[in-house]
Amino acid sequence: MTDPRFELVGAKPQAEAAPQKMRRHRPPYSTAVLLALIVLPCLLAEVVMTRDPAYMDLAHCLVAPCREFIFGTDSLGRDIFSMIWYGGRISLTVGFLATVIATALAMIIGSLSALAPRWLDALLMHITDILLSVPSLLLVLFLQAFFRQNSVFTLSIVLGITGWMGMSRVVRTEVLQLRGCEYMEAARLMGGSFFYLLRRHLAPNFIPSLMFMAVMQFRSAVMAEATLSFIGLGLPLEVVSWGSMLSLAQQALLTASWWVVVIPGAFLLVTLVCVTNIGNHLRKVHSHGERNL
Amino acid sequence: MSEALLSIRDVHYTHRLSGGVSVPALRGVSLELQPGEIVGIVGESGCGKSTLARAVMGLLAPQKGEICYNGINVHHPQNMAEKRCLQQQRQMIFQNAALSLDPHFSVEEIICEPLRLAQLAPQQGSYREEAAYWLQQVGLDALFLSRRPQQLSGGQAQRVAIARALAARPRLLVADEPIAALDVSLQAQIVNLLRRLQREQGFGMLFIAHDLAMVRHLCHRVAVIYQGRLVEIAPTAELFRAPRHGYTKALLSAMPLPDPRQEKQRQPQYYEQPVSDGGVWHQASPQHYWLAEDGEVGE
Amino acid sequence: MQPLLEVKNLKVTYDSASGPVQAVRDVSLQLQRGEVLALVGESGSGKSALTKSVMRLLPPSAAVEGEVLLNGTDVLHMPERHLRELRGKAMSMIFQDPLEVLNPVLTVRRQIAEAVRLHDPQADTEQRVRELLRLVEIADVERCAASLPHQLSGGMRQRVVLAIALAAQPQLLIADEPTTSLDVTVQAQILDLLKSLQERLNMATLLISHDLSVVARLADRVAVMYAGKIVEIGTAEEIFYQPAHPYTWALLRSLPGFSADEEELYALPGIPPTLIDPPAGDAFAPRNEYALAIDYEQMPPFFRLSETHFAATWLQDARAPRITPPLQRRCGE
Amino acid sequence: MNQRIFQLIKRLLIVIASILLLSVIVFTMSRLAPGDPLIAYYGEQAEKLSVEEREWAMERLGLNDPLPQQYGRWLKQAAQGELGLSYKYKQPVMQVISARMGNSVLLVGSSFVLLCVLSLLLGCICACYEDSLIDKLLRRSGIVFSCLPEFWFSLLLILLFSVLLPLFPSSGAHCIGRADSIADRLHHLVLPLAAVLISHAWYYAYLVRNKLCEEVRAEYVLLAKAKGLSRLRILLWHCLPNVLPGYISLMVLALPHILGGTYVVEAVFSYPGLGALIYESARYHDYNLLMVLSLFTGAVVIAANMLAQALNERIDPRTAGINTEVSYYD
């Protein structure tokens, strides 16, 4: 008498299951919301503003935050609340334009260097290194001389032209790395042309890191604009931006008008932190593996 | 003798590293591969066997010697048609399959890529059906079509790589250590798969491996490379039965056997002599050649 | 006699991206002084997790349950300070990839000397380093000692790792796939070296490999692991000549020397189960052509086949049909 | 030995070539800058010159010559230590710079050294206690502080510690008439130094921590542990040497940023150093001064770069001859 449980039934092949999906990084929702809360009103500044940001109400200079002036007024009697949104738009525009220019330059020079013959690569990277060795603010000061009066546009160009160096080095290393990839090699063997490789293999794999670099570039451009305007070498006082608002801060210190110093700076800081968070997410930094220590 | 599918004539290649250092990788290798034949290339790591594979694929240009596929010089195709022919009829699989698959492609796109590039019409109707057909050929379910390479295990990735290589219906497949990174049981799966597909499709194959165990079950002939030189070449059974070159003997004696009694008594032979540029070829039997050092007496 | 190493009901759970993985599921084994035990299994069978938990080298996120006794003292719950004295002195370990485990920026001399000095501060370090390098049969001791790891060949590196492991004359050597990354000829040399050292120093050795034929030369006893459990354990002769578990059969059959068919190699179909949610019955059943109905429902216990030979398969049950192992030895030609 | 000397000469040549190339770039930029070049020589009088007088002056000063010729002449003079006049200060440039140099060297030097030590230390602590409270704190603050514009942070410091709590002076390098008092100088140094340190140290510590945390995942840590080494010893003797070359390269790459940051801080604190000078010279279009300052800063960084490379090769011989690639972004 045989036990049915001991009947030979053999293998029951299961479909080869693919390993499960990697755990994705949670997108930084709260950061995105916070950033939207700053950026959207900036874009729609006209709707949000309560007063004309350029109007100097000399009767109300350095008014502390109150119901009428939510964020107070500066030493020229301008309403800081309105200026924040209006100036934010200008700061972000400068950052954006400068990033576009710098990214384009970095892409061109970095990939040229990676794909060019060795001597040209060495020369390009050497020049990049030399330009990198001068604090970029100094280069900006030189370049600004070309434009007598700074405008949003000229400042963006200057910041763009001085911002590509670090990025182009990274682009070069990335492109070199990708070029040596086995899947690129495989595609080349199958007869993929240069442009095919560029379009189908290089670009899709390159875009995430490019996005990260661009975001970081945006951060430094916004910061540079603020620094320059603060010192009085960026946007003039009449062109309201977060930086030019802060150029009044040093005088405000004497009267301990903290709101003139703190509020534009806080907006600047929060925006930059949000941007950095998003940049880090784009790069998908994950420490691989377990620590052995 | 029929026209060889692949002929490698006296190929020399030296790696030029930065700082003016040069490392010789291949020192005069000659080899012929007939259509539908599987030739195994065996040797220790760094002996130049991967360099040979890459030279055959045209990824490196040898400093001396020439490599012809079907009479076409691999490094200097005469016209567009020859170039096309090379690109379609000669395919490669790599040691680390996962790295040879673009992480942004789906399995379907990966398998169809060579077809699209060679502008070959899919034989199974649509590209998707063609990809499903090849997946089934390598023993994977059609469910995998939409997967990405990160979602594949090592063995699965290697199967997809094989499917991609075969989708273009090549006449020559170069396999650069396709099983070295896999577990023993998976190695057997891949070797069986390659063998079955080779029987069905009839392509010639250059199979590169560092160990003899699997080569024996796959290859018709085996070439042994040592320090950048071909030292022995023979039909598989013959090589295993009567190896001649000292290195081949060492290689064979080093193969571990699943037999503790025998293993515990075994005295492996080692071979560590350098191989010179000279040497004389001896013929041990019609297809069995081996390289003897000057002064070494061949039978 | 008290065994040198005793592992009791060891369970290791890792945290992975897709959930907790039960890498080791209730493993017990014993190792006597001077004995060589080989652990064999596919990658992912938990053999590395097992050895790493003996050395307590698992990352902090891994949860380890059970007992590991070395000379009767519990290793798992020992304070870090005591553990450090055991490591290197009572037990040491060599690894799969010697290039990865050697520090790339320190010379071989410094790396060995460090291990020497740690356990014997009075020793003449220079002298001892030379001795150790000679012990692992390195010919040009001075040149090797002054080299950096990347300047050495794979076999030399593994010898250096071995020298480090032997620095304080351990009683137990754990060798985690010591030859997997090496060429066949170098593999034979390293195995030879391990064998002669093991005999000379009378070290107990835990040898890990995914390839059964590699362990035949060294092992006194063999344990076969599948999906985090030991499925069969016995002396080397029992495992190679009278294997009882279908998984051992499959492992043996897939070796070229065993394949019944001159042409076709036997290939075990399918892939090992993920141990995130291990099946209720025998984890090997879905790939096992000799699976019984009960294999899908109930985990088989260990059946005792001899004093030393145990197999966890329902085929050994009195009620099960008799199966002749599908093995045909062809080796030795 | 011979090879080492050869290497050294090669390196020196590269440094010299780099500095020369830098001078070409900077010179060209300053000459191409619009504005009346004569202002640099005659000050405001230049605007009153007649056309003939201008022509004569341009001719005499060689400003009509092609640029390469002008550069050659400038280089010749520079080799003799004559770097021209500062328009604003009506003094030789070198004189203006050397008067301020001491203060800047004090601030930049002390902040750079402290920064290196502090970031390494913090990074090690965090890597040792990965994912602990202090580590999490550092990671967060690393991001925040890397987004903090130096000038604004300086303003906050002044607001807090000079205006609201008058603890430290808000400007200058020393009180009037107390230039010799070391204590007074240190007292003035506290806030600027804090501004530079705090706005940079966290960020670099964060980078060190990330590199170390990656290193801690390397396999060689397992062998070191299997030897019986303690955690601290593994971290300091095994992981750190692997991280150091990258760290040194990183700090050199960061040097221009830190210099730039220090210059801004100097300007905010009206600290009489080179930084304040740079902004003044830019504001008054004193290109001669600006050029020399840029050249000087760049030369320091280039020299530091070479030094770092030599140092790295001692720590990790594998990098010999290879440029250690460090991306600034990681």
Side-chain angles (χ1 to χ4, degrees), chain C residues 97-104, chain D residues 218-221:
Chain C
D97 192 339
L99 182 62
E100 292 287 312
V101 297
L102 289 169
N103 195 325
Chain D
E219 292 259 312
Y220 65 78
V221 173

Side-chain angles (χ1 to χ4, degrees), chain D residues 114-173:
Chain D
L114 279 175
L115 201 58
C116 287
V117 175
L118 210 65
S119 57
L120 205 56
L121 203 71
L122 277 173
C124 285
I125 292 172
C126 287
C128 198
Y129 304 102
E130 199 184 330
D131 279 331
S132 66
L133 195 67
I134 178 165
D135 180 38
K136 281 182 183 144
L137 193 75
L138 178 94
R139 269 190 334 222
R140 299 267 189 289
S141 49
I143 291 178
V144 173
F145 281 105
S146 71
C147 294
L148 203 59
E150 293 96 349
F151 77 90
W152 187 64
F153 187 59
S154 309
L155 288 177
L156 282 189
L157 284 180
I158 295 178
L159 185 65
L160 283 176
F161 297 106
S162 296
V163 180
L164 298 178
L165 292 169
L167 292 177
F168 298 101
S170 68
S171 67

Side-chain angles (χ1 to χ4, degrees), chain A residues 16 18-19 185 196 201 205, chain B residues 54 102 104 113 147 151 156:
Chain A
E16 283 199 18
E185 215 156 59
Y196 173 83
H201 292 285
N205 286 296
Chain B
R54 299 172 70 79
D102 188 324
H104 278 85
E113 194 182 12
R147 297 264 157 84
Q151 295 168 276
Q156 291 166 343

Side-chain angles (χ1 to χ4, degrees), chain B residues 37 66 120 185 283:
Chain B
E37 186 187 30
E66 65 170 3
L120 293 175
S185 55
Q283 189 174 24

Side-chain angles (χ1 to χ4, degrees), chain D residues 79-206:
Chain D
Q80 291 156 1
E82 282 177 44
L83 290 164
L85 286 173
S86 156
Y87 150 63
K88 188 185 172 231
Y89 290 90
K90 316 273 189 267
Q91 277 175 343
V93 167
M94 283 314 283
Q95 215 170 317
V96 178
I97 293 180
S98 56
R100 306 274 197 114
M101 182 85 94
N103 287 331
S104 262
V105 168
L106 184 67
L107 180 60
V108 170
S110 55
S111 59
F112 189 69
V113 170
L114 279 175
L115 201 58
C116 287
V117 175
L118 210 65
S119 57
L120 205 56
L121 203 71
L122 277 173
C124 285
I125 292 172
C126 287
C128 198
Y129 304 102
E130 199 184 330
D131 279 331
S132 66
L133 195 67
I134 178 165
D135 180 38
K136 281 182 183 144
L137 193 75
L138 178 94
R139 269 190 334 222
R140 299 267 189 289
S141 49
I143 291 178
V144 173
F145 281 105
S146 71
C147 294
L148 203 59
E150 293 96 349
F151 77 90
W152 187 64
F153 187 59
S154 309
L155 288 177
L156 282 189
L157 284 180
I158 295 178
L159 185 65
L160 283 176
F161 297 106
S162 296
V163 180
L164 298 178
L165 292 169
L167 292 177
F168 298 101
S170 68
S171 67
H174 52 81
C175 296
I176 298 160
R178 294 185 61 191
D180 301 328
S181 159
I182 292 174
D184 185 55
R185 272 179 185 270
L186 288 180
H187 193 217
H188 279 81
L189 202 60
V190 172
L191 282 189
L193 194 61
V196 177
L197 278 186
I198 296 175
S199 54
H200 286 101
W202 293 97
Y203 181 58
Y204 295 111
Y206 176 62

Side-chain angles (χ1 to χ4, degrees), chain A residues 3-59:
Chain A
D3 188 334
R5 291 191 305 156
F6 284 85
E7 208 166 301
L8 193 65
V9 290
K12 288 184 187 165
Q14 297 157 328
E16 283 199 18
Q20 296 202 337
K21 255 202 156 133
M22 301 288 212
R23 198 189 283 166
R24 283 275 171 104
H25 275 260
R26 202 173 62 89
Y29 290 118
S30 47
T31 305
V33 169
L34 193 56
L35 190 62
L37 279 180
I38 296 177
V39 172
L40 282 179
C42 285
L43 293 179
L44 306 168
E46 278 78 6
V47 183
V48 187
M49 285 183 322
T50 51
R51 273 153 217 279
D52 179 2
Y55 176 65
M56 301 182 196
D57 185 353
L58 293 175

Side-chain angles (χ1 to χ4, degrees), chain D residues 231-274:
Chain D
R231 281 165 54 93
L232 193 65
R233 193 180 155 103
I234 295 174
L235 196 72
L236 296 183
W237 288 78
H238 284 259
C239 298
L240 204 54
N242 279 286
V243 172
L244 268 183
Y247 175 68
I248 292 172
S249 309
L250 176 79
M251 285 323 275
V252 171
L253 257 175
L255 191 57
H257 284 252
I258 296 168
L259 275 172
T262 320
Y263 289 164
V264 174
V265 170
E266 282 184 5
V268 179
F269 284 95
S270 321
Y271 186 86
L274 298 181

